[in-house]
Amino acid sequence: EEATEQAKSTLLKFQLQMYDLEDLFSNADQSEFLIVTVATELAVRESMRLLNDLTFESPDMPIKVRNVVVNQVLKEDGTDVKTFLDHVNTSQKHSVSELEQLVQTLSVQPR
């Protein structure tokens, strides 16, 4: 009985905190959302979906979004392309290595 009351009390406190958070997010004078993305088709589509969800999905509680930051944009003159591609290549090699190690550990048969 006491554990049930404790659980109810904890749940009620959490619910009240969520109401406070909802009030904060819906108050355009107190908060706004900043979308940060990269310049790829998938990331841009997800950012557009997020922007739509934040501003139009709930007309009774729109969240203000004034800015979108796009990272990893290459210079038009191409001077940073090699550096960027080297970074991507290094990152991919590391990720593939991690996957190979995981597969090897999962491939070990139990005795």
Side-chain angles (χ1 to χ4, degrees):
E1 182 70 29
E2 185 176 325
T4 302
E5 290 303 315
Q6 178 69 25
K8 286 181 182 179
S9 174
T10 301
L11 184 59
L12 181 60
K13 286 178 186 176
F14 178 73
Q15 189 175 19
L16 292 173
Q17 289 175 337
M18 292 300 100
Y19 288 140
D20 289 343
L21 189 59
E22 182 180 336
D23 290 343
L24 176 67
F25 282 147
S26 63
N27 185 337
D29 294 330
Q30 289 187 313
S31 65
E32 66 181 62
F33 201 90
L34 173 67
I35 296 175
V36 179
T37 188
V38 293
T40 65
E41 184 177 352
L42 178 62
V44 169
R45 286 179 189 260
E46 283 299 308
S47 297
M48 290 169 59
R49 182 195 59 76
L50 175 61
L51 178 62
N52 185 57
D53 288 350
L54 291 173
T55 56
F56 302 114
E57 193 69 25
S58 300
D60 57 326
M61 193 187 104
I63 297 175
K64 181 169 70 175
V65 179
R66 283 195 304 191
N67 294 296
V68 176
V69 174
V70 182
N71 287 325
Q72 300 178 359
V73 177
L74 300 177
K75 296 178 184 175
E76 288 188 24
D77 65 5
T79 56
D80 54 356
V81 172
K82 182 178 179 347
T83 302
F84 178 76
L85 291 177
D86 287 345
H87 173 72
V88 169
N89 187 25
T90 300
S91 177
Q92 287 179 346
K93 285 179 181 178
H94 177 73
S95 297
V96 169
S97 176
E98 286 183 334
L99 285 171
E100 288 173 341
Q101 289 175 8
L102 177 62
V103 168
Q104 286 177 353
T105 61
L106 296 176
S107 298
V108 175
Q109 297 296 321
R111 295 182 188 185

